[in-house]
């Protein structure tokens, strides 16, 4: 059942007299353009939201604290620069396992073939997963060399982290090299690095080793975003957006990598979450170059760079009382993560309310089918829930479903793959608005409003 978000009239979504979302008119589009150019949002959540303990942080071009100051902000543009995606690169390890072979492989290498009920259950889950194949850094040899990975009585964190120390930065370097090549400028022009991972837990972190592998300048400003789980890519982009918009000529490399060797383990009757993790998750790395552009245009100081998506606004929301809905910790046996079976239901019940709030200042709320979508492909039930809650037309989540099918759930990396997929798609993206949704521990929702630059369409053709 939907809970209605009580918002002040000035931030209510537009709707028809029947209450259904109405199609955007030409004047709507002009108004959206004007509002998006000077996006504004209340500095504090409205009273109704504060009462319901909805914690939100915003990262927007302009901040306003009342309807009056909102309209002032819209009428008087204060921001000429907005962060934009200038290039995207992705990478996966070489070991590709078809999903229809995975369960036999998994129970054989974990020496668990005698657990026939669990094997049958996992076959059903894998069949229903919508996944065709997944990529893994680890192979059968890795498991043979590390019997502690499949014996929970033995400590294995150190051995897992020893592998990840080089595997995470190396896979990320492959993705970043592709992004930098597309960007067209030398790696030494990167001024900031934001690196997100829940796999590697070293100090100094994978950011330092990545900087060295890529030949970034020693003065590059590094920030690690650790253990944001499946919202890590979105969180890193939110942080990078702030950096790009507040540091003149900044060029930010956003990097994200997740490898499942951190939690590969044998099935067990007492750990139902293990079957879910082993059925859905795969390895990948993604990289994005961000820079600030004049709104609707090219970066001011370059003729080479071409924006793909402008990052119009970003916000993070914690759903109250869900701290156990997606929780984990590093333990002797590696990362233990428990996605709650409640997640799809929570999304179906609440996502529209949070989206209305997140995009209200842009006047985009309610007309969900007018937007393009980059939703974290956490599993088919996650995507089905978002699709049903927003009454999205078939195909609106095609990019997310394709990434889930071709790679599985790569945690926080997935949204970078979805963005890459979106910019490759032919269609009417150019100049259109979209929403990127990251979902992570907490249960945290990261929302970013995007605008596809005209280059996104040109690139696809
Ligand atoms: C896993 C599924 C593909 C399985 O779909 P099915 O069609 O086979 O049917 P189903 O949903 O009834 O589930 C089959 C069996 O798995 C169990 N099951 C389902 N979800 C579970 C979970 N999270 N933990 C433990 N068990 C779970 C069910 O109880 C059932 O058990 P039984 O058969 O015994 O009754 C789907 O449920 C799905 O997409 N779930 C969402 C997965 C998810 O939470 N992804 C987000 C991961 S975290 C993430 O991405 C972000 C982050 O937080 O960092």
């Amino acid at each position: 059942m939907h809970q209605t978000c009580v918002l002040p009239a000035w931030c209510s979504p537009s709707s028809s007299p029947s209450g259904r979302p109405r199609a955007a008119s030409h004047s709507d589009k002009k108004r959206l353009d004007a509002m998006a150019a000077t996006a504004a949002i209340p500095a504090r959540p409205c009273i109704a939201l504060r009462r319901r303990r909805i914690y939100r942080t915003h990262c927007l071009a302009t901040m306003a604290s009342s309807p009056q100051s909102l309209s002032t902000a819209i009428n008087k543009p204060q921001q000429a620069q907005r962060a934009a995606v200038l290039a995207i690169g992705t990478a996966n390890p070489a070991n590709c396992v078809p999903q229809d072979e995975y369960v036999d492989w998994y129970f054989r290498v974990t020496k668990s073939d005698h657990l026939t009920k669990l094997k049958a259950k996992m076959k059903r889950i894998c069949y229903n997963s919508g996944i065709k194949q997944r990529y893994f850094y680890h192979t059968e040899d890795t498991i043979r060399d590390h019997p502690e990975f499949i014996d929970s009585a033995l400590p294995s964190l150190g051995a897992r982290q020893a592998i990840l120390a080089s595997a995470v930065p190396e896979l990320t370097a492959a993705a970043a090299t592709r992004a930098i090549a597309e960007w067209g400028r030398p790696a030494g022009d990167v001024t900031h690095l934001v690196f997100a991972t829940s796999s590697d837990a070293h100090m100094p972190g994978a950011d330092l080793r990545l900087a060295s592998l890529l030949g970034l300048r020693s003065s590059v400003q590094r920030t690690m975003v650790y253990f944001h789980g499946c919202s890590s890519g979105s969180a890193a982009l939110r942080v990078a957006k702030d950096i790009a918009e507040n540091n003149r000529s900044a060029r930010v490399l956003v990097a994200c990598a997740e490898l499942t060797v951190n939690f590969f383990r044998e099935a067990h009757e007492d750990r139902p979450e293990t079957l879910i993790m082993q059925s859905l998750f795969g390895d990948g790395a993604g990289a994005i170059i961000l820079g600030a552009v004049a709104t609707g245009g090219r970066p001011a100081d370059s003729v080479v760079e071409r924006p793909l998506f402008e990052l119009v606004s970003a916000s993070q929301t914690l759903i109250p009382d869900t701290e156990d809905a997606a929780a984990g910790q590093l333990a002797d046996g590696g990362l233990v993560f428990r996605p709650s079976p409640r997640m799809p239901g929570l999304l179906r019940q609440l996502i529209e309310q949070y989206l209305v709030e997140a995009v209200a200042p842009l006047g985009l709320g309610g007309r969900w089918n007018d937007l393009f979508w980059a939703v974290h492909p956490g599993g088919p039930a996650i995507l089905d829930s978002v699709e049903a809650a927003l009454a999205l037309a078939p195909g609106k989540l095609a990019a997310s479903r394709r990434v889930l099918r071709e790679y599985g759930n790569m945690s926080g990396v997935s949204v970078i793959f979805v963005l890459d997929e979106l910019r490759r798609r032919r269609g009417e993206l150019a100049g259109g608005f979209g929403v990127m949704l990251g979902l992570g521990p907490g249960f945290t929702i990261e929302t970013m409003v995007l605008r596809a630059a005209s280059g996104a369409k040109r690139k696809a053709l």
Side-chain angles (χ1 to χ4, degrees), residues 381-436:
I382 298 283
L383 295 177
D384 292 347
S385 293
V386 173
E387 193 174 272
L390 304 179
L392 293 178
K396 275 286 170 186
L397 298 187
S400 297
R401 289 196 191 277
R402 181 169 193 282
V403 170
L404 182 64
R405 186 172 68 242
E406 298 297 323
Y407 305 97
N409 177 351
M410 294 173 288
S411 190
V413 178
S414 303
V415 289
I416 298 178
F417 277 66
V418 176
L419 284 184
D420 195 32
E421 184 62 31
L422 279 170
R423 67 87 174 256
R424 283 173 208 285
R425 284 176 178 255
R426 295 165 193 272
E428 295 310 310
L429 283 191
F433 289 91
V435 173
M436 185 175 80

Short mmCIF file of all heavy atoms in Angstrom, two decimals, residues 381-436:
data_model
loop_
_atom_site.label_atom_id
_atom_site.label_comp_id
_atom_site.label_asym_id
_atom_site.label_seq_id
_atom_site.Cartn_x
_atom_site.Cartn_y
_atom_site.Cartn_z
N ALA A 381 13.29 -9.07 -8.56
CA ALA A 381 12.21 -8.59 -7.68
C ALA A 381 12.39 -7.10 -7.37
O ALA A 381 11.41 -6.38 -7.17
CB ALA A 381 12.18 -9.41 -6.40
N ILE A 382 13.65 -6.65 -7.34
CA ILE A 382 13.91 -5.21 -7.10
C ILE A 382 13.38 -4.41 -8.29
O ILE A 382 12.66 -3.41 -8.12
CB ILE A 382 15.43 -4.98 -6.94
CG1 ILE A 382 15.98 -5.74 -5.74
CG2 ILE A 382 15.77 -3.49 -6.90
CD1 ILE A 382 15.70 -5.15 -4.41
N LEU A 383 13.73 -4.84 -9.48
CA LEU A 383 13.29 -4.09 -10.68
C LEU A 383 11.78 -4.18 -10.85
O LEU A 383 11.12 -3.19 -11.19
CB LEU A 383 14.03 -4.62 -11.92
CG LEU A 383 15.55 -4.39 -11.90
CD1 LEU A 383 16.20 -5.00 -13.14
CD2 LEU A 383 15.89 -2.91 -11.82
N ASP A 384 11.22 -5.36 -10.61
CA ASP A 384 9.76 -5.51 -10.74
C ASP A 384 9.04 -4.58 -9.76
O ASP A 384 7.99 -4.00 -10.09
CB ASP A 384 9.32 -6.96 -10.45
CG ASP A 384 9.82 -7.92 -11.54
OD1 ASP A 384 10.27 -7.46 -12.60
OD2 ASP A 384 9.75 -9.15 -11.29
N SER A 385 9.60 -4.43 -8.56
CA SER A 385 8.96 -3.58 -7.55
C SER A 385 8.95 -2.12 -7.99
O SER A 385 7.94 -1.43 -7.86
CB SER A 385 9.69 -3.69 -6.21
OG SER A 385 9.52 -4.97 -5.69
N VAL A 386 10.09 -1.65 -8.49
CA VAL A 386 10.16 -0.24 -8.94
C VAL A 386 9.21 -0.03 -10.12
O VAL A 386 8.46 0.96 -10.16
CB VAL A 386 11.61 0.14 -9.32
CG1 VAL A 386 11.67 1.53 -9.94
CG2 VAL A 386 12.53 0.06 -8.10
N GLU A 387 9.24 -0.99 -11.04
CA GLU A 387 8.39 -0.88 -12.23
C GLU A 387 6.90 -0.82 -11.83
O GLU A 387 6.15 0.03 -12.33
CB GLU A 387 8.64 -2.08 -13.13
CG GLU A 387 8.07 -1.97 -14.53
CD GLU A 387 8.52 -3.15 -15.38
OE1 GLU A 387 9.60 -3.07 -15.99
OE2 GLU A 387 7.79 -4.16 -15.41
N ALA A 388 6.51 -1.70 -10.91
CA ALA A 388 5.09 -1.74 -10.50
C ALA A 388 4.72 -0.49 -9.71
O ALA A 388 3.67 0.11 -9.94
CB ALA A 388 4.84 -3.00 -9.67
N ALA A 389 5.58 -0.08 -8.79
CA ALA A 389 5.24 1.06 -7.93
C ALA A 389 5.05 2.34 -8.74
O ALA A 389 4.24 3.19 -8.39
CB ALA A 389 6.34 1.26 -6.89
N LEU A 390 5.82 2.48 -9.82
CA LEU A 390 5.76 3.72 -10.61
C LEU A 390 4.92 3.55 -11.87
O LEU A 390 4.83 4.47 -12.69
CB LEU A 390 7.18 4.16 -11.00
CG LEU A 390 8.15 4.36 -9.82
CD1 LEU A 390 9.53 4.77 -10.33
CD2 LEU A 390 7.62 5.40 -8.85
N ALA A 391 4.32 2.38 -12.03
CA ALA A 391 3.52 2.06 -13.23
C ALA A 391 4.33 2.39 -14.50
O ALA A 391 3.82 3.04 -15.43
CB ALA A 391 2.20 2.82 -13.21
N LEU A 392 5.57 1.93 -14.51
CA LEU A 392 6.43 2.22 -15.67
C LEU A 392 6.03 1.34 -16.85
O LEU A 392 5.67 0.17 -16.69
CB LEU A 392 7.90 1.95 -15.32
CG LEU A 392 8.52 2.90 -14.29
CD1 LEU A 392 9.97 2.50 -14.00
CD2 LEU A 392 8.47 4.35 -14.77
N ALA A 393 6.12 1.92 -18.03
CA ALA A 393 5.81 1.19 -19.25
C ALA A 393 6.86 0.10 -19.48
O ALA A 393 8.02 0.26 -19.06
CB ALA A 393 5.81 2.15 -20.43
N PRO A 394 6.46 -1.00 -20.12
CA PRO A 394 7.44 -2.05 -20.42
C PRO A 394 8.61 -1.45 -21.20
O PRO A 394 8.41 -0.65 -22.10
CB PRO A 394 6.65 -3.04 -21.29
CG PRO A 394 5.22 -2.74 -21.02
CD PRO A 394 5.13 -1.29 -20.65
N GLY A 395 9.79 -1.80 -20.86
CA GLY A 395 10.96 -1.28 -21.57
C GLY A 395 11.63 -0.12 -20.87
O GLY A 395 12.77 0.22 -21.17
N LYS A 396 10.95 0.52 -19.90
CA LYS A 396 11.56 1.67 -19.21
C LYS A 396 12.78 1.25 -18.40
O LYS A 396 13.69 2.04 -18.18
CB LYS A 396 10.52 2.35 -18.31
CG LYS A 396 9.65 3.36 -19.04
CD LYS A 396 10.46 4.61 -19.33
CE LYS A 396 9.74 5.54 -20.27
NZ LYS A 396 10.60 6.69 -20.65
N LEU A 397 12.79 0.01 -17.94
CA LEU A 397 13.94 -0.47 -17.17
C LEU A 397 14.81 -1.41 -18.00
O LEU A 397 15.55 -2.23 -17.46
CB LEU A 397 13.46 -1.17 -15.89
CG LEU A 397 12.67 -0.31 -14.90
CD1 LEU A 397 12.41 -1.09 -13.61
CD2 LEU A 397 13.42 0.99 -14.57
N ALA A 398 14.71 -1.27 -19.32
CA ALA A 398 15.43 -2.21 -20.21
C ALA A 398 16.93 -2.18 -19.97
O ALA A 398 17.60 -3.22 -20.00
CB ALA A 398 15.10 -1.90 -21.67
N ALA A 399 17.49 -0.99 -19.73
CA ALA A 399 18.94 -0.91 -19.53
C ALA A 399 19.35 -1.66 -18.27
O ALA A 399 20.33 -2.42 -18.25
CB ALA A 399 19.39 0.56 -19.45
N SER A 400 18.58 -1.48 -17.19
CA SER A 400 18.88 -2.19 -15.94
C SER A 400 18.70 -3.70 -16.11
O SER A 400 19.51 -4.50 -15.62
CB SER A 400 17.96 -1.70 -14.82
OG SER A 400 18.19 -0.34 -14.56
N ARG A 401 17.63 -4.09 -16.80
CA ARG A 401 17.40 -5.53 -16.99
C ARG A 401 18.50 -6.15 -17.85
O ARG A 401 18.91 -7.29 -17.63
CB ARG A 401 16.02 -5.77 -17.61
CG ARG A 401 14.88 -5.47 -16.64
CD ARG A 401 13.57 -6.05 -17.09
NE ARG A 401 12.46 -5.53 -16.30
CZ ARG A 401 12.09 -6.00 -15.11
NH1 ARG A 401 12.76 -7.01 -14.57
NH2 ARG A 401 11.09 -5.47 -14.45
N ARG A 402 18.99 -5.40 -18.82
CA ARG A 402 20.06 -5.95 -19.66
C ARG A 402 21.35 -6.15 -18.84
O ARG A 402 22.03 -7.17 -18.97
CB ARG A 402 20.33 -5.05 -20.87
CG ARG A 402 21.41 -5.63 -21.75
CD ARG A 402 21.59 -4.97 -23.09
NE ARG A 402 22.42 -5.79 -23.93
CZ ARG A 402 23.75 -5.86 -23.83
NH1 ARG A 402 24.37 -5.13 -22.93
NH2 ARG A 402 24.45 -6.66 -24.61
N VAL A 403 21.66 -5.17 -18.00
CA VAL A 403 22.87 -5.29 -17.17
C VAL A 403 22.71 -6.48 -16.22
O VAL A 403 23.65 -7.27 -16.05
CB VAL A 403 23.14 -3.97 -16.41
CG1 VAL A 403 24.23 -4.16 -15.37
CG2 VAL A 403 23.55 -2.88 -17.41
N LEU A 404 21.53 -6.64 -15.62
CA LEU A 404 21.31 -7.79 -14.74
C LEU A 404 21.49 -9.09 -15.52
O LEU A 404 22.14 -10.03 -15.05
CB LEU A 404 19.90 -7.72 -14.14
CG LEU A 404 19.52 -8.84 -13.17
CD1 LEU A 404 20.39 -8.80 -11.92
CD2 LEU A 404 18.04 -8.78 -12.78
N ARG A 405 20.94 -9.14 -16.73
CA ARG A 405 21.01 -10.37 -17.53
C ARG A 405 22.46 -10.71 -17.92
O ARG A 405 22.90 -11.84 -17.83
CB ARG A 405 20.17 -10.19 -18.80
CG ARG A 405 20.04 -11.44 -19.65
CD ARG A 405 19.04 -11.26 -20.77
NE ARG A 405 19.50 -10.31 -21.78
CZ ARG A 405 18.90 -9.17 -22.08
NH1 ARG A 405 17.81 -8.81 -21.44
NH2 ARG A 405 19.38 -8.36 -23.01
N GLU A 406 23.21 -9.71 -18.35
CA GLU A 406 24.54 -9.96 -18.90
C GLU A 406 25.64 -10.09 -17.86
O GLU A 406 26.69 -10.67 -18.13
CB GLU A 406 24.92 -8.84 -19.88
CG GLU A 406 23.99 -8.73 -21.08
CD GLU A 406 24.01 -9.98 -21.96
OE1 GLU A 406 25.09 -10.57 -22.12
OE2 GLU A 406 22.93 -10.38 -22.46
N TYR A 407 25.41 -9.49 -16.65
CA TYR A 407 26.50 -9.45 -15.65
C TYR A 407 26.10 -9.86 -14.24
O TYR A 407 26.96 -10.01 -13.38
CB TYR A 407 27.07 -8.02 -15.57
CG TYR A 407 27.53 -7.47 -16.90
CD1 TYR A 407 26.70 -6.65 -17.66
CD2 TYR A 407 28.79 -7.77 -17.40
CE1 TYR A 407 27.11 -6.14 -18.87
CE2 TYR A 407 29.21 -7.27 -18.61
CZ TYR A 407 28.37 -6.45 -19.35
OH TYR A 407 28.79 -5.96 -20.55
N GLY A 408 24.78 -9.95 -13.95
CA GLY A 408 24.34 -10.15 -12.57
C GLY A 408 24.37 -8.83 -11.81
O GLY A 408 24.53 -7.76 -12.39
N ASN A 409 24.19 -8.95 -10.49
CA ASN A 409 24.24 -7.77 -9.60
C ASN A 409 25.69 -7.51 -9.23
O ASN A 409 26.28 -8.27 -8.45
CB ASN A 409 23.37 -8.07 -8.36
CG ASN A 409 23.40 -6.95 -7.33
OD1 ASN A 409 24.20 -6.01 -7.43
ND2 ASN A 409 22.56 -7.06 -6.33
N MET A 410 26.27 -6.47 -9.78
CA MET A 410 27.68 -6.12 -9.48
C MET A 410 27.73 -5.07 -8.39
O MET A 410 28.63 -4.22 -8.36
CB MET A 410 28.39 -5.63 -10.74
CG MET A 410 28.55 -6.68 -11.81
SD MET A 410 29.21 -5.99 -13.33
CE MET A 410 27.79 -5.07 -13.91
N SER A 411 26.75 -5.10 -7.50
CA SER A 411 26.69 -4.16 -6.38
C SER A 411 26.75 -2.72 -6.91
O SER A 411 26.14 -2.40 -7.92
CB SER A 411 27.82 -4.50 -5.39
OG SER A 411 27.67 -3.78 -4.21
N GLY A 412 27.52 -1.86 -6.24
CA GLY A 412 27.53 -0.43 -6.59
C GLY A 412 28.03 -0.12 -7.98
O GLY A 412 27.79 0.98 -8.52
N VAL A 413 28.75 -1.06 -8.58
CA VAL A 413 29.28 -0.85 -9.94
C VAL A 413 28.13 -0.84 -10.97
O VAL A 413 28.23 -0.20 -12.02
CB VAL A 413 30.27 -1.99 -10.30
CG1 VAL A 413 30.80 -1.84 -11.70
CG2 VAL A 413 31.40 -2.05 -9.28
N SER A 414 27.05 -1.53 -10.63
CA SER A 414 26.01 -1.79 -11.63
C SER A 414 25.46 -0.52 -12.28
O SER A 414 25.20 -0.49 -13.48
CB SER A 414 24.85 -2.55 -10.97
OG SER A 414 25.30 -3.74 -10.39
N VAL A 415 25.26 0.54 -11.49
CA VAL A 415 24.65 1.74 -12.08
C VAL A 415 25.56 2.36 -13.14
O VAL A 415 25.08 3.00 -14.07
CB VAL A 415 24.25 2.81 -11.03
CG1 VAL A 415 23.06 2.35 -10.21
CG2 VAL A 415 25.42 3.23 -10.17
N ILE A 416 26.87 2.17 -13.01
CA ILE A 416 27.78 2.70 -14.03
C ILE A 416 27.58 1.92 -15.34
O ILE A 416 27.55 2.49 -16.42
CB ILE A 416 29.25 2.65 -13.54
CG1 ILE A 416 29.40 3.52 -12.29
CG2 ILE A 416 30.21 3.08 -14.64
CD1 ILE A 416 30.79 3.53 -11.66
N PHE A 417 27.41 0.60 -15.21
CA PHE A 417 27.11 -0.21 -16.40
C PHE A 417 25.77 0.22 -17.01
O PHE A 417 25.60 0.23 -18.22
CB PHE A 417 27.08 -1.70 -16.04
CG PHE A 417 28.43 -2.37 -16.03
CD1 PHE A 417 29.39 -2.03 -15.10
CD2 PHE A 417 28.74 -3.36 -16.96
CE1 PHE A 417 30.63 -2.66 -15.08
CE2 PHE A 417 29.98 -3.99 -16.96
CZ PHE A 417 30.92 -3.65 -16.01
N VAL A 418 24.80 0.54 -16.16
CA VAL A 418 23.48 0.94 -16.67
C VAL A 418 23.60 2.27 -17.42
O VAL A 418 23.03 2.45 -18.51
CB VAL A 418 22.44 1.02 -15.54
CG1 VAL A 418 21.10 1.52 -16.08
CG2 VAL A 418 22.25 -0.35 -14.88
N LEU A 419 24.36 3.21 -16.87
CA LEU A 419 24.57 4.48 -17.58
C LEU A 419 25.25 4.24 -18.92
O LEU A 419 24.91 4.85 -19.94
CB LEU A 419 25.44 5.43 -16.74
CG LEU A 419 24.80 6.12 -15.55
CD1 LEU A 419 25.79 7.08 -14.91
CD2 LEU A 419 23.53 6.86 -15.96
N ASP A 420 26.24 3.35 -18.91
CA ASP A 420 26.94 3.02 -20.16
C ASP A 420 25.96 2.44 -21.18
O ASP A 420 26.00 2.76 -22.37
CB ASP A 420 28.06 2.02 -19.83
CG ASP A 420 29.07 1.90 -20.97
OD1 ASP A 420 29.29 2.91 -21.66
OD2 ASP A 420 29.62 0.80 -21.16
N GLU A 421 25.08 1.58 -20.68
CA GLU A 421 24.07 0.97 -21.54
C GLU A 421 23.12 2.03 -22.10
O GLU A 421 22.80 2.04 -23.30
CB GLU A 421 23.30 -0.05 -20.70
CG GLU A 421 22.26 -0.85 -21.42
CD GLU A 421 22.85 -1.71 -22.52
OE1 GLU A 421 24.00 -2.15 -22.38
OE2 GLU A 421 22.15 -1.91 -23.53
N LEU A 422 22.70 2.96 -21.25
CA LEU A 422 21.75 3.99 -21.68
C LEU A 422 22.33 4.87 -22.77
O LEU A 422 21.66 5.22 -23.73
CB LEU A 422 21.34 4.87 -20.49
CG LEU A 422 20.26 4.30 -19.58
CD1 LEU A 422 20.14 5.15 -18.32
CD2 LEU A 422 18.92 4.24 -20.31
N ARG A 423 23.62 5.24 -22.60
CA ARG A 423 24.18 6.15 -23.60
C ARG A 423 24.41 5.46 -24.95
O ARG A 423 24.56 6.11 -25.97
CB ARG A 423 25.43 6.84 -23.08
CG ARG A 423 26.65 5.97 -22.83
CD ARG A 423 27.53 5.79 -24.04
NE ARG A 423 28.73 5.07 -23.65
CZ ARG A 423 29.89 5.67 -23.50
NH1 ARG A 423 30.02 6.94 -23.75
NH2 ARG A 423 30.94 4.96 -23.13
N ARG A 424 24.47 4.14 -24.94
CA ARG A 424 24.63 3.40 -26.19
C ARG A 424 23.30 3.19 -26.91
O ARG A 424 23.27 2.82 -28.07
CB ARG A 424 25.21 2.01 -25.92
CG ARG A 424 26.68 2.00 -25.62
CD ARG A 424 27.13 0.61 -25.20
NE ARG A 424 28.27 0.70 -24.32
CZ ARG A 424 29.50 0.99 -24.71
NH1 ARG A 424 29.76 1.18 -25.98
NH2 ARG A 424 30.49 1.08 -23.84
N ARG A 425 22.20 3.35 -26.18
CA ARG A 425 20.89 3.05 -26.77
C ARG A 425 20.42 4.15 -27.69
O ARG A 425 20.45 5.32 -27.34
CB ARG A 425 19.86 2.84 -25.65
CG ARG A 425 20.04 1.51 -25.03
CD ARG A 425 19.14 1.26 -23.86
NE ARG A 425 19.46 -0.09 -23.43
CZ ARG A 425 18.68 -1.14 -23.67
NH1 ARG A 425 17.53 -0.99 -24.24
NH2 ARG A 425 19.07 -2.35 -23.31
N ARG A 426 19.94 3.73 -28.85
CA ARG A 426 19.28 4.71 -29.71
C ARG A 426 17.95 5.08 -29.06
O ARG A 426 17.41 4.35 -28.29
CB ARG A 426 19.03 4.10 -31.09
CG ARG A 426 20.30 3.77 -31.83
CD ARG A 426 20.03 2.86 -33.00
NE ARG A 426 21.28 2.32 -33.50
CZ ARG A 426 22.02 2.93 -34.41
NH1 ARG A 426 21.63 4.06 -34.94
NH2 ARG A 426 23.16 2.40 -34.81
N GLY A 427 17.44 6.22 -29.40
CA GLY A 427 16.15 6.60 -28.83
C GLY A 427 16.10 8.08 -28.55
O GLY A 427 16.96 8.82 -28.99
N GLU A 428 15.12 8.45 -27.79
CA GLU A 428 14.85 9.87 -27.56
C GLU A 428 15.43 10.35 -26.24
O GLU A 428 14.78 11.04 -25.48
CB GLU A 428 13.34 10.12 -27.62
CG GLU A 428 12.72 9.86 -28.99
CD GLU A 428 13.47 10.56 -30.11
OE1 GLU A 428 13.73 11.78 -29.98
OE2 GLU A 428 13.84 9.91 -31.09
N LEU A 429 16.68 9.97 -25.96
CA LEU A 429 17.29 10.43 -24.73
C LEU A 429 17.70 11.89 -24.78
O LEU A 429 17.68 12.59 -23.78
CB LEU A 429 18.55 9.60 -24.41
CG LEU A 429 18.38 8.20 -23.85
CD1 LEU A 429 19.72 7.68 -23.36
CD2 LEU A 429 17.39 8.21 -22.71
N ALA A 430 18.12 12.34 -25.95
CA ALA A 430 18.78 13.64 -26.05
C ALA A 430 17.96 14.75 -25.41
O ALA A 430 16.80 14.95 -25.75
CB ALA A 430 19.05 13.97 -27.51
N GLY A 431 18.58 15.45 -24.47
CA GLY A 431 17.91 16.56 -23.81
C GLY A 431 16.88 16.13 -22.78
O GLY A 431 16.35 16.96 -22.05
N GLY A 432 16.62 14.83 -22.68
CA GLY A 432 15.59 14.36 -21.76
C GLY A 432 16.14 14.18 -20.34
O GLY A 432 17.34 14.10 -20.12
N PHE A 433 15.20 14.15 -19.39
CA PHE A 433 15.57 13.96 -18.00
C PHE A 433 15.41 12.49 -17.60
O PHE A 433 14.57 11.77 -18.17
CB PHE A 433 14.68 14.80 -17.08
CG PHE A 433 14.98 16.27 -17.18
CD1 PHE A 433 14.29 17.07 -18.09
CD2 PHE A 433 15.95 16.85 -16.38
CE1 PHE A 433 14.56 18.43 -18.20
CE2 PHE A 433 16.24 18.19 -16.49
CZ PHE A 433 15.55 18.99 -17.40
N GLY A 434 16.20 12.07 -16.63
CA GLY A 434 16.12 10.71 -16.14
C GLY A 434 16.46 10.66 -14.67
O GLY A 434 16.87 11.66 -14.08
N VAL A 435 16.29 9.48 -14.08
CA VAL A 435 16.61 9.29 -12.67
C VAL A 435 17.50 8.07 -12.52
O VAL A 435 17.20 7.01 -13.07
CB VAL A 435 15.33 9.12 -11.82
CG1 VAL A 435 15.68 8.76 -10.39
CG2 VAL A 435 14.49 10.39 -11.85
N MET A 436 18.59 8.26 -11.78
CA MET A 436 19.45 7.12 -11.41
C MET A 436 19.12 6.78 -9.95
O MET A 436 19.11 7.67 -9.10
CB MET A 436 20.91 7.51 -11.55
CG MET A 436 21.86 6.36 -11.31
SD MET A 436 23.57 6.86 -11.63
CE MET A 436 23.92 7.69 -10.10
#
